[in-house]
Amino acid sequence: MSKEPSPETEQATDLRGDDGSDDASHPDGDSRSLGVGVITIATDRAIGNDIAGETIMKLLKKDDHEIVIREHVGTDHDQVQSTTSRLLDRDDVDMIVTGGATSIEPDDVTIEAVEPLLEKELTAFSELFTTLSYDEVGTRVIGARTIAGVADGIPVFCLPGNEAAVRLGLEGIILPEIHQLLALARAPDDEDEDEPSSDDADADLEAEAADGDEAGMSADEAEHGEEADRDDPETEAEHGGR
């Protein structure tokens, strides 16, 4: 069930319809529209003038994805972490993209806040982003940081807060690969498929219990039959005659 933004969030915009339905179609295949949660992090910008956030939204919409919610928070570790966690809990979010507060300034807290939420990190994302960025900005890329990973089957990407970096990350890496990443992240677990269901397990236990009761009854009947033979005088006499 979708959760409402908490009061601690500085600014938030829910972009779904009033009835919660999707306007975009979701055809089968790799071109299907995905629901995306966007978070921008900055203290010197608001949701209305954050270029990184606007660029993220523009590129996602251009690729026919739906922005189900956009939030803007300050550079506070707990606020960034709780906002990301809340978006991960939403049923309508297939991917999360953040923009801002990823460098090495004291208040760049996004990576430190998001990393503990990730179950599996996509280490190649940062490596590829660095390689592509070097071609554009040279050694200045040393001060840029990114992180990506998967939590609860949802890919999460943390990008720097400038337009060029957002374009590079989305157009150069994320959008071409997002459907494949989702397919991998949400693939069924082979072990889960092999494990019997709880109903099957209960049925097996009941069958074992029934077999045990029958075996116990047979042993009791045999024991009672032997006692009856010993107590029957005719049986004793018959045995004595032999």
Side-chain angles (χ1 to χ4, degrees), residues 91-108:
D91 294 333
D92 54 358
V93 171
D94 298 307
M95 169 175 62
I96 295 174
V97 180
T98 77
T102 62
S103 187
I104 57 172
E105 295 180 26
D107 60 350
D108 286 333

Side-chain angles (χ1 to χ4, degrees), residues 105-241:
E105 295 180 26
D107 60 350
D108 286 333
V109 297
T110 299
I111 291 177
E112 287 73 20
V114 173
E115 186 174 17
L117 302 176
L118 303 178
E119 297 165 359
K120 295 183 179 180
E121 187 176 343
L122 299 171
T123 55
F125 176 80
S126 295
E127 297 170 358
L128 183 55
F129 183 90
T130 300
T131 300
L132 297 177
S133 297
Y134 178 80
D135 294 336
E136 295 189 5
V137 300
T139 56
R140 286 178 56 196
V141 72
I142 195 172
R145 298 191 302 157
T146 59
I147 193 172
V150 177
D152 296 330
I154 299 175
V156 182
F157 303 93
C158 298
L159 300 172
N162 64 79
E163 182 178 0
V166 165
R167 286 188 176 277
L168 175 64
L170 280 169
E171 293 182 327
I173 308 173
I174 298 172
L175 293 178
E177 297 296 331
I178 185 56
H179 288 99
Q180 172 66 8
L181 289 173
L182 272 174
L184 292 172
R186 298 179 178 181
D189 191 334
D190 292 338
E191 293 182 0
D192 292 341
E193 291 183 348
D194 294 337
E195 291 179 358
S197 66
S198 58
D199 292 339
D200 293 339
D202 292 341
D204 291 341
L205 290 175
E206 292 177 0
E208 291 177 3
D211 291 342
D213 292 341
E214 291 179 0
M217 292 176 61
S218 299
D220 290 342
E221 291 173 355
E223 182 178 349
H224 289 319
E226 292 177 358
E227 291 178 355
D229 289 344
R230 288 196 296 269
D231 294 340
D232 189 344
E234 294 182 0
T235 302
E236 290 180 359
E238 182 179 340
H239 289 167

Side-chain angles (χ1 to χ4, degrees), residues 63-113:
D63 208 49
D64 294 327
H65 298 299
E66 180 188 8
I67 313 299
V68 295
I69 187 169
R70 178 186 175 186
E71 303 213 18
H72 185 88
V73 299
T75 54
D76 177 81
H77 177 283
D78 293 343
Q79 210 172 14
V80 174
Q81 189 172 84
S82 63
T83 302
T84 305
S85 178
R86 186 156 37 78
L87 265 61
L88 286 169
D89 290 337
R90 290 182 61 132
D91 294 333
D92 54 358
V93 171
D94 298 307
M95 169 175 62
I96 295 174
V97 180
T98 77
T102 62
S103 187
I104 57 172
E105 295 180 26
D107 60 350
D108 286 333
V109 297
T110 299
I111 291 177
E112 287 73 20

Side-chain angles (χ1 to χ4, degrees), residues 19-33:
D19 60 354
S21 61
D22 295 335
D23 293 331
S25 60
H26 293 265
D28 293 335
D30 288 347
S31 62
R32 68 189 184 280
S33 175

